[in-house]
Amino acid sequence: MNYDVPRRVFTCHVTGVIITDHAGNVALYGSEFGAPETGLAIASAPDTVLPEIDRARLTPTTIPATDHFTDIRLTVNVSGTTAGVNGYDLYLIDSSGQRIPAASGGAPLTFGGPLTLSFPLPSGVAPGAYTIAARLSDQAGKSSSFGFPNGTPIPGGPVTLTVA
């Protein structure tokens, strides 16, 4: 049987196991099938390590203010997550520190390595220099933020976009 795994700390006792070999032979184990208990339990591990960014790259780094069709790509190298990154929020930060939402959504599940997030230039963005800020979320619903004013910088950053 298939069950959804809860998104909290839990212990689950396995009451039934079905094993099928390559020849198609089936073996049933556990009280769910009238057999002795399996003695197996699955315990969750707490999500104590939040997503980290080792480095980031933006392409292109300059875009015309009238171009709302070209994808701007922020590629971050993800590390340090126990629950895997699966969501993000991206912002442009103007010279006064104002946040301009750029993109938000689900991401391909990434435990480590490169993650590319694409977005078009948001409408109404005036010419100028903008810092990119990102929030990465993991499967446990925890998040880490990078590049926001007075927050954790993006390593090697700031990552900037010039709107011409």
Side-chain angles (χ1 to χ4, degrees):
M1 298 191 159
N2 295 325
Y3 295 98
D4 289 331
V5 177
R7 292 181 178 240
R8 57 181 167 66
V9 176
F10 70 94
T11 299
C12 177
H13 296 279
V14 178
T15 59
V17 177
I18 301 171
I19 299 175
T20 305
D21 66 16
H22 287 294
N25 299 312
V26 175
L28 305 173
Y29 299 91
S31 60
E32 188 170 321
F33 304 110
E37 282 293 336
T38 65
L40 300 173
I42 298 171
S44 67
D47 180 17
T48 58
V49 182
L50 298 178
E52 291 292 330
I53 294 176
D54 292 339
R55 62 186 173 278
R57 183 172 44 99
L58 188 71
T59 55
T61 56
T62 301
I63 192 165
T66 57
D67 186 348
H68 300 284
F69 301 102
T70 299
D71 273 343
I72 301 165
R73 291 175 308 284
L74 176 67
T75 301
V76 296
N77 195 64
V78 174
S79 67
T81 176
T82 54
V85 171
N86 69 343
Y88 68 95
D89 298 295
L90 297 177
Y91 296 87
L92 302 180
I93 309 294
D94 69 13
S95 59
S96 69
Q98 180 180 344
R99 298 176 183 190
I100 301 166
S104 180
L109 182 60
T110 305
F111 286 89
L115 174 62
T116 300
L117 308 170
S118 298
F119 62 98
L121 184 65
S123 297
V125 173
Y130 295 86
T131 301
I132 304 295
R135 181 177 300 115
L136 300 180
S137 303
D138 67 17
Q139 293 185 91
K142 295 184 178 179
S143 62
S144 298
S145 297
F146 305 91
F148 289 96
N150 302 316
T152 303
I154 292 178
V159 175
T160 58
L161 174 68
T162 300
V163 178

